[in-house]
Amino acid sequence: MYGKCFREWFENVLPRLKHNAVIVMDNTLYRSMQKDKYSTKNTTKADIINWFESKGDIVDTSMVTEELFQIVNTLKPIYEKYADETVKTHNIHILSLPPYHRELNPIELIWSAIKNFVRMDNSTLKIRDVKRLSIEGVQRVNSDLWKNCIEYAVGEEEKLWNMDFMIDEFMTDENHVF
């Protein structure tokens, strides 16, 4: 998966969701990818001018690249949009999972089960066998496995909430001396 592919998929899914839907996503880079590429120090003057024109801005073409680049930097906040901001126009909310908590994301548990299936049954190490085993592994994913993975994730979330409450209690305990 990469940014452009994700954005195209995401923008096709959004119209199919109900208002006030909640999408749970992890924090992968492609989902937070900027929709609009900005100029860098390596961008040509012609590309910077094209960027301005694509925004409907008029630019003095006699300016040197560095001057144009400085103007781009001042305008970035106005045009800075991310791929997942499309949800705002559809009245949909994104719940981002905290980074480095794979155990809260059931799909990660599913992928782990598939990879484990491939690893355990892969005796030839040939790509065609890995492909066949991967397909078999995906086909083995059923509603019971999903249910178990979701229950596991919910249990892990409850553990984290309990730890958070314990830490709060510990930190507010009047008798505790640091």
Side-chain angles (χ1 to χ4, degrees):
M1 182 65 75
Y2 59 96
K4 183 180 178 201
C5 179
F6 170 77
R7 187 170 54 249
E8 288 172 3
W9 170 83
F10 192 62
E11 289 174 354
N12 284 318
V13 166
L14 287 177
R16 298 176 181 160
L17 300 176
K18 294 179 181 176
H19 277 342
N20 289 325
V22 176
I23 300 172
V24 179
M25 284 198 208
D26 63 6
N27 287 307
T28 54
L29 290 176
Y30 58 76
R31 127 176 142 69
S32 301
M33 188 185 90
Q34 289 182 340
K35 284 180 105 173
D36 200 358
K37 294 288 185 193
Y38 295 106
S39 301
T40 65
K41 296 285 183 181
N42 298 327
T43 306
T44 65
K45 181 177 178 178
D47 286 340
I48 296 173
I49 291 170
N50 287 338
W51 183 84
F52 278 112
E53 290 173 351
S54 75
K55 305 295 178 223
D57 292 331
I58 298 171
V59 64
D60 180 359
T61 56
S62 68
M63 295 173 106
V64 296
T65 304
E66 182 60 32
E67 291 173 308
L68 293 169
F69 183 69
Q70 288 173 359
I71 296 170
V72 168
N73 281 337
T74 61
L75 294 175
K76 273 185 188 180
I78 297 169
Y79 296 111
E80 206 163 37
K81 302 268 187 275
Y82 291 88
D84 57 5
E85 287 184 10
T86 311
V87 298
K88 292 176 183 172
T89 60
H90 293 274
N91 198 22
I92 293 171
H93 310 280
I94 292 182
L95 174 63
S96 295
L97 294 173
Y100 312 113
H101 283 286
R102 295 172 48 107
E103 70 276 8
L104 298 177
N105 191 350
I107 189 66
E108 294 294 343
L109 301 170
I110 296 290
W111 283 124
S112 181
I114 294 167
K115 289 189 280 187
N116 189 48
F117 173 79
V118 172
R119 182 175 46 252
M120 297 304 284
D121 289 7
N122 185 10
S123 57
T124 67
L125 303 176
K126 293 182 179 175
I127 194 69
R128 72 173 176 271
D129 292 332
V130 171
K131 180 180 179 182
R132 179 184 51 77
L133 288 168
S134 297
I135 292 168
E136 279 182 47
V138 169
Q139 290 171 342
R140 295 173 73 108
V141 175
N142 58 30
S143 60
D144 288 335
L145 180 59
W146 269 108
K147 181 181 175 197
N148 291 338
C149 290
I150 290 169
E151 286 174 358
Y152 179 84
V154 168
E156 291 299 303
E157 182 181 4
E158 287 173 10
K159 284 183 201 174
L160 290 170
W161 276 114
N162 289 332
M163 278 194 287
D164 192 49
F165 290 131
M166 288 177 3
I167 291 169
D168 283 348
E169 267 184 45
F170 179 76
M171 298 301 282
T172 57
D173 184 3
E174 294 175 14
N175 297 322
H176 183 74
V177 179
F178 288 99

